[in-house]
Structure formats: C-alpha cells, structure tokens
C-alpha cells in the first residue's frame, strides 16, 4: 500500500463528501491491487466509525474523545501518546491497549479514562495512521528451527518471524542484521520480516555508516527504472523556444566555489556567481541556481523518489544523494558547458543593505571552478597565483574584501551571531545548523554564507508579498534551562557571561557568548555546547521567527534544489510565478 491511513484521512473533511474516484486519483491508486487495498481500508475505517459513507461518498467523523498523537514507548511496556497540540496532556496507553502499534507510530487514540491532577488521561489505540518502522536493526534468534528477529531497540517489544530468502539465516544467528518489515502484526500473528542485509557479527563489527543508514531506513541505491530515466536526461537544445525566453549570460564572467572534500560520490555543483559594480556604486551580485525543476517534472518517478528521500544525506565521506548520479552529472554546473539556471540578482549598496532584487530564468556558462582553498590562496597571496587564475583575483577581492564584509556587518548589527566549529554544512546557506558556522581555515566560506542567506530572504519576501503558498524556515528561541549549565561552566572557567535579561534569551546573548568563548583555551568545547543549545531549524507554511539569523519572519532555503526537496518546491513556485 503506497499511501498511509494518515494521508487518506488528510484527504477527507468533516463537512464535505469526497467521491471514491477523487480519493483514488489523489492517492495515486491506479492498478487493480491498490484500488482493492483502498476499498478495504475505506470499509474498515467505516466499520470502526472513523469515516462515514453517504451516497457513495465519504467524510470524516469528528469524535471528541479521539485525538491524533505519536507513540513514545518505554522498554517496560507502557507508552504515552504525545499530542501535536502544545501543552496538551500526554495520554497513558497500557501495553494491552496498543492494538499492535509500535514506538514512533502515529495513531488515533480514544481516551477511555479522564486525567486527574496527579494522573495522565488513559487511552487505547483506535487506528494506526502511519507506521514509523518500515525496517529495523535486529539480531537473529533460532527456536526449534524457526528463525526470528529481535529488535535492538528495546522500546520495540516484539519479535518478527523471518521469511526465508537468499540470505542464509542459519549462519547469521546472533548476528546484527537489517530487517525489512514485510507485514506488520495482525491480531495474534507476529510481524513478518525478511533479512535484507547481514551487517556483522555484532555492532562493533558493522560499519558505522551502514548502521546509521539501516537504523533510519536511508535508501542506498536506486531502482533500475530510476537509473534508466536518469541516464535519459540529455543535453539542452540551445535553439529551442525555452532557451530563447531565457536571459543569456554565457558571455558574463561566471565562477563557482566549492569544498575540496573527498567523498564517495561526485559533487553536485548547484550554484554559480557573477559580480559587477554599477556606475552608481551599487554592487550587483548574481546567484545562479541550477534549474532542476526543468528536468524533474512533478509526480514523475524521479520526483517521487526525491520527495521520499527529502534530502541528500552526508555521512562523513559517504553521500546518499537525492537523485541518481546521472542526474548530477548532467545538471551539475561544469566549466565550459551551457546550463539552465534560475538567477537571483541582488543589488546591494555601500552599507551592505539590499536595495532590490530580480529573479529570472537564465542560461549560463561557467568559466572557472574554484575551491574555497584556491580562493583563500588567491586572496592571501595573489602574487603566487597561476597565470590562468590571475583573472579571478580582482573579482574575488571585490566579493570578499568589499561586498561580503558589508553584508556581515549588517547581520551582526541586527543581532545575529556565528559559531566557530570544525563541523561545516555541505550547503552554501546555513543548512540545518540554524546558524552561520565559521571556518577558521577558510573565512571566505562563512563570508559567502552571509551573502547566500540574503538570497533566501529575498525569495521568501517576494513569495510572501505575492501571497503565494510556500515553505518558510524558522527557528525558535533556546530554552533558558539549556543555557543555565553552560553559564555556570563558563563562570567556573573565569568567563564573565550571563543573559542581558534574566527572563529572556536573545541573539545578542549568543553574540556575547561567542566573543567571550573566543578568549578561552576551551573555545572549541564551549562552542559545541553552545551549538547544542540551539533548537533545530523547521519548515512551515507560515513565515516565522528565525533565531540564529535574527530574522523576524520570511526566510527560506532555495539554493540546493538538487539536494533538498524543499528547495526544489520553492524553485517550482518561482518558475510558476515567472511564467
């Protein structure tokens, strides 16, 4: 079944009837098997009173005592259903009332006993909306010739019967394995699984990246169908009508800046840059983003796979990409090759303030590919540069000596801060870190991040002003409790730090922390602890405050449509606006 109960119920409302045909189309049920599965689910939900059927159409049934929640279980057998609504009570669920739900599953819980001042309300699982464990790490155990998988996570209180396949189970007893769930438990029947991979005799013998990939169900390969489609992405026709409608920037001096990190996968170079200064003293920086949306159409196989993966995953030297390698090879911004892009031009004055921006579909040709290390060397020691790179000394000096410091000054003035860490984001913006990370080896990297954040800000403000639905990035303030121990530790180390306002955490506080820590011999440890107090960055359909960047609202990610699915959606929205 390719859809979940949660997806099905999200397609229904309480006050409007929806035809079965509309549900089939929305859930992508096209073949006979999926249509039959949908009908079984609809009949089951109707019987237990979750939905109502009238005149061949369906609607949801509201029940006051039924709430949606996520299960959090303990190794002792009891669970709590955590509601999405802030400050709502957690609901206690006994093991006998789990209805075969597992830790992490999204469920509908019926409250069977109201809570008191000292006791949580008690409930039972009525429907499992979405399973959280399509696969798991386990050890194989044998009992009278029957093989079972016992999950390593002690919050999963069950065993799985193992289906015989090409894996030899007899020789894998007590080994660490990755098990795919073929069928979840039904009634008193155990769940059924199959071993997809034997990782090692134990956790120490298995590769760390394999354990992480299997634990979080990260796909490590693509289907033959996907690889075939990726190989079919060809060169662009420069004489087509599509090309004629684009701004031709092939004669403009264009360069890329990338990390020089060795990985097991070819890099996806998604951004290129142009820079000029107008007669009025305004800097015009062009950020050119590879037009992935032109090649990956919505709801195609490659699009569905990318949506399911959500993002490229970086595990040290190992990369789990969002698209097959052929897509990366064909679309990546290689030197001396024509590429389709979406270009965002920022006009920045001599104070570092954005005076305006322009968004266009474009055609570019990269003249030079530079690494951050090369750029840093050209800036620090231009006289040692090879003759072929001398052309780039002046553009880099304009960018990193003149423009970027102005932009950084504006950011620090509004209260934003940066943290010096060894851990760097693979993206040009702040990435999932939620804050600008400064590299002591390559200062140009964080300076460029300052500029790239302005691109996300401009795009978000544009979409917000037009009233167009979009994804926005936000980050809530850290909790005071998270900082309390760090302040005590810092004071014990002889650093005079504290909050400006005792009852409120501000970005200015973090600026003060980083400045104080830089004077300590324990700066690295203190910075990592400080970084750990930050809340994760979150996506929302509504603009919200972004603590680490000191933005009150309207900021988004758009620079990496080939590595983050949210960026691809933003690119599609922008192109729809342009067209």
């Amino acid at each position: 079944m390719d859809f979940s109960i949660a997806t099905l119920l999200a397609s229904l409302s309480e006050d409007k009837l929806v035809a079965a045909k509309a549900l089939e189309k929305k859930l992508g049920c096209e073949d006979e098997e999926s249509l039959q599965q949908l009908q079984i689910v609809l009949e089951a939900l109707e019987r237990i009173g979750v939905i109502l059927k009238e005149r061949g159409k369906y609607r949801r049934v509201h029940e006051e005592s039924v709430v949606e929640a996520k299960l959090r279980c303990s190794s002792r057998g009891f669970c709590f259903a955590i509601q999405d609504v802030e400050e709502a009570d957690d609901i206690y669920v006994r093991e006998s009332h789990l209805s075969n739900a597992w830790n992490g599953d999204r469920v509908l819980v019926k409250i069977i006993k109201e809570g008191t001042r000292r006791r949580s309300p008690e409930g039972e699982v009525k429907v499992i909306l979405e399973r959280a464990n399509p696969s798991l790490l386990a050890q194989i155990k044998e009992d009278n010739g029957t093989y079972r998988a016992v999950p390593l996570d002690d919050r999963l209180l069950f065993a799985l019967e193992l289906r015989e396949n090409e894996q030899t189970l007899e020789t894998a007893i007590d080994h660490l394995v990755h098990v795919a769930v073929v069928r979840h438990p039904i009634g008193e029947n155990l769940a059924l699984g199959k071993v997809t991979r034997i990782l090692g005799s134990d956790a120490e013998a298995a590769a760390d990246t394999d354990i992480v990939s299997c634990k979080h169900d990260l796909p490590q390969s693509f289907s033959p169908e996907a690889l075939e489609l990726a190989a079919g992405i060809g060169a662009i026709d420069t004489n087509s009508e599509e090309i004629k409608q684009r701004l031709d920037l092939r004669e403009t001096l264009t360069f890329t800046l990338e990390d020089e990190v060795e990985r097991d996968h070819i890099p996806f170079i998604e951004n290129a840059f142009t820079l000029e200064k107008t007669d009025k003293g305004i800097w015009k920086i062009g950020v050119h983003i590879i037009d992935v949306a032109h090649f990956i159409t919505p709801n195609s196989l490659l699009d569905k796979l990318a949506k399911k993966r959500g993002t490229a995953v970086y595990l040290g030297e190992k990369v789990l990409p969002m698209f097959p390698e052929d897509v990366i090879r064909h679309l990546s911004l290689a030197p001396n090759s024509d590429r389709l892009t979406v270009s965002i031009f920022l006009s920045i004055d001599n104070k570092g303030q954005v005076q305006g921006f322009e968004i266009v579909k474009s055609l570019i040709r990269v003249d030079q590919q530079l690494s951050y290390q090369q750029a840093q060397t050209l800036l620090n020691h231009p006289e040692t540069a090879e003759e072929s790179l001398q052309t780039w000394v002046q553009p880099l000096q304009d960018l990193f000596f003149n423009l970027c410091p102005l932009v950084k000054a504006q950011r620090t003035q509004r209260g934003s801060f940066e943290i010096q860490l060894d851990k760097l984001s693979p993206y040009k913006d702040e990435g999932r870190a939620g804050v600008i990370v400064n590299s002591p080896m390559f200062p140009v990297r964080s300076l460029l991040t300052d500029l790239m954040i302005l691109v996300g800000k401009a795009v978000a403000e544009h979409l917000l002003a037009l009233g167009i639905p979009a994804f926005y990035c936000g980050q809530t303030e850290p909790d005071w409790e998270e900082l309390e121990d760090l302040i005590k530790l810092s004071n014990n180390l002889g650093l005079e730090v504290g909050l400006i306002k005792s009852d409120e955490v501000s970005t200015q506080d973090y600026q003060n922390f980083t400045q104080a820590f830089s004077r300590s011999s324990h700066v690295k440890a203190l910075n990592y602890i400080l970084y750990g107090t930050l809340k994760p960055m979150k996506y929302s359909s509504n603009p919200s405050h972004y603590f680490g960047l000191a933005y009150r609202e309207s900021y988004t990610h758009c620079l990496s449509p080939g590595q983050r699915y949210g960026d691809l959606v933003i690119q599609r929205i922008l192109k729809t606006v342009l067209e």
Side-chain angles (χ1 to χ4, degrees), residues 402-447:
N402 298 324
L403 178 57
C404 286
L406 297 174
V407 173
K408 180 177 179 177
Q410 286 292 328
R411 174 177 59 80
T412 54
Q413 191 175 333
R414 73 170 183 266
S416 179
F417 57 97
E418 59 189 56
I419 299 180
Q420 185 174 307
L421 302 173
D422 295 333
K423 172 184 179 180
L424 295 173
S425 167
Y427 304 107
K428 298 287 188 303
D429 51 35
E430 83 291 355
R432 298 187 67 182
V435 65
I436 291 179
V437 174
N438 182 18
S439 166
M441 288 183 63
F442 306 124
V444 295
R445 207 179 188 281
S446 60
L447 285 170

Side-chain angles (χ1 to χ4, degrees), residues 365-436:
R365 183 182 295 148
V366 174
D367 297 290
Q368 184 67 51
Q369 210 169 66
L370 294 167
S371 68
Y372 290 113
Q373 187 172 6
Q374 284 177 310
Q376 199 70 60
T377 301
L378 285 173
L379 291 169
N380 295 343
H381 307 286
E383 70 284 353
T384 64
E386 300 173 20
E387 189 176 343
S388 61
L389 295 178
Q390 285 291 340
T391 310
W392 300 99
V393 172
Q394 188 59 51
L396 290 175
Q397 286 178 344
D398 287 341
L399 182 62
F400 292 111
F401 288 166
N402 298 324
L403 178 57
C404 286
L406 297 174
V407 173
K408 180 177 179 177
Q410 286 292 328
R411 174 177 59 80
T412 54
Q413 191 175 333
R414 73 170 183 266
S416 179
F417 57 97
E418 59 189 56
I419 299 180
Q420 185 174 307
L421 302 173
D422 295 333
K423 172 184 179 180
L424 295 173
S425 167
Y427 304 107
K428 298 287 188 303
D429 51 35
E430 83 291 355
R432 298 187 67 182
V435 65
I436 291 179

Side-chain angles (χ1 to χ4, degrees), residues 500-516:
I500 297 170
K501 296 182 180 178
S502 58
D503 59 344
E504 184 180 325
V505 180
S506 70
T507 53
Q508 187 63 56
D509 291 320
Y510 274 70
Q511 267 193 10
N512 296 340
F513 288 143
T514 56
Q515 289 168 10

Side-chain angles (χ1 to χ4, degrees), residues 275-285 346-351 353-356 403:
L275 182 66
E276 64 173 318
K277 195 169 188 180
T278 68
D279 296 337
K280 296 181 179 179
I282 299 293
W283 291 103
K284 190 174 183 180
I285 174 79
L346 300 178
S347 297
I348 303 174
D349 63 20
N350 57 11
K351 293 181 179 179
Q353 295 182 328
V354 177
Q355 296 299 311
L403 178 57

Side-chain angles (χ1 to χ4, degrees), residues 198-243:
I198 299 172
L199 300 175
S201 55
D202 54 29
E204 289 187 6
D208 292 347
T209 52
D210 289 341
I211 291 175
V212 171
S213 298
C214 293
K215 177 177 173 57
H216 297 286
D217 201 40
L218 302 175
Q220 299 190 55
S221 60
F222 290 91
S223 65
E225 295 82 4
L227 294 174
E228 185 179 348
L229 284 172
I233 294 179
I236 58 175
D237 179 8
T238 53
N239 295 316
S240 67
E241 284 301 315
E242 164 69 24
I243 300 302

